[in-house]
Amino acid sequence: MTLFLLLIVVPIGLSAGRYYLFGDGRSNWQTADRSSAGLLPPASANPEALIRVFAARTVRWRSIFAVHTWIVVKEKGASSYSRYDYTAWGDPIRSNGFAPDGRWFGALPETVVAVDGAQAEELIPKIRHVIETYKFRAYGDYSAWPGPNSNTFVQAALDAVPELRAVLPPTAVGKDYPYNGRWTGITPSGTGLYASLSGYLGMTIGWVEGVEINFLGAVLGIDIRRPALKLPGLGRFGVPAGL
């Protein structure tokens, strides 16, 4: 138990120390840069279908613990991208409120999932269906912790396309919130089992998902399929999960 608590507390402490020593470099978040990070070519120059999931550190002290994730899709031949965020203000599901690959209030995003071509073309309708039918879409449904939040929303979309075998980073706090109301079951990939106490406590064991322990939203785990260590506050260290 002592070792487990150390593995939870020490990484978060290191992340907190980094934040308080160096800040997040964003000064005033209200005027922070939200321009394109250059991760996507112009849609008109890329005729293929495309799916992307991006992640960037959240704003202010919350960046110690968590990232914000969002989904970008583009059908074959489309002249523009469609970006979907789940946010705490207004109607939670926000469509094209920001540049598709934009900085999240100054934080540079990283690519978590990248799919192109025929596979993306096949899977986009499934993702759009989740977006259109997502249960927590009314004003006030958003809850930063333990969920449903932006990462719960993206996890629901990824769960609808298990063939991607994509996994959100351990810093995607809220990904383990049971949005479907089921506290136990088979993982969406069909390769393991999960149990979740309303997102506060939980455990996942699967070939795709790896071994993850969720303790009050902090995720500690290990991935064997794509060798990596998952640490709360700090993220994933090893082979990328979904690229």
Side-chain angles (χ1 to χ4, degrees):
M1 179 61 71
T2 301
L3 177 61
F4 170 73
L5 291 176
L6 285 174
L7 288 172
I8 293 287
V9 172
V10 171
I12 292 176
L14 290 173
S15 183
R18 177 181 60 188
Y19 174 79
Y20 285 110
L21 286 174
F22 305 108
D24 58 9
R26 290 184 260 183
S27 61
N28 186 344
W29 68 270
Q30 294 175 311
T31 58
D33 184 9
R34 284 178 278 178
S35 64
S36 168
L39 300 178
L40 291 172
S44 58
N46 180 29
E48 288 193 333
L50 173 150
I51 299 171
R52 292 289 186 275
V53 172
F54 294 113
R57 286 283 171 171
T58 53
V59 178
R60 294 183 291 187
W61 62 267
R62 290 184 291 275
S63 65
I64 295 171
F65 305 97
V67 296
H68 167 78
T69 57
W70 66 92
I71 307 167
V72 177
V73 299
K74 185 183 77 68
E75 283 79 2
K76 183 178 180 179
S79 59
S80 62
Y81 295 105
S82 297
R83 170 174 171 164
Y84 298 97
D85 295 79
Y86 191 81
T87 64
W89 61 92
D91 293 330
I93 299 178
R94 183 173 295 270
S95 175
N96 295 323
F98 312 92
D101 57 352
R103 294 166 175 82
W104 185 245
F105 296 95
L108 191 69
E110 63 174 326
T111 305
V112 177
V113 176
V115 185
D116 298 273
Q119 186 183 20
E121 189 176 358
E122 178 184 351
L123 299 180
I124 285 173
K126 297 180 182 180
I127 292 175
R128 286 200 181 278
H129 178 72
V130 171
I131 293 169
E132 292 165 2
T133 60
Y134 191 59
K135 177 180 178 181
F136 303 102
R137 59 187 312 110
Y139 178 79
D141 280 347
Y142 181 99
S143 176
W145 179 80
N149 59 20
S150 64
N151 301 317
T152 314
F153 172 70
V154 172
Q155 186 64 62
L158 292 179
D159 288 350
V161 287
E163 48 268 69
L164 285 185
R165 298 200 158 197
V167 180
L168 290 181
T171 45
V173 174
K175 71 183 183 68
D176 295 314
Y177 181 82
Y179 61 87
N180 55 14
R182 296 192 290 269
W183 287 16
T184 62
I186 299 172
T187 60
S189 70
T191 65
L193 301 172
Y194 75 89
S196 176
L197 183 59
S198 198
Y200 294 102
L201 299 171
M203 186 170 187
T204 300
I205 301 176
W207 175 242
V208 170
E209 295 81 6
V211 178
E212 293 187 351
I213 298 173
N214 169 24
F215 181 73
L216 301 179
V219 173
L220 173 67
I222 187 169
D223 191 342
I224 298 173
R225 180 176 69 103
R226 294 187 172 180
L229 183 63
K230 306 177 183 184
L231 296 175
L234 297 179
R236 180 185 177 96
F237 295 88
V239 178
L243 298 179

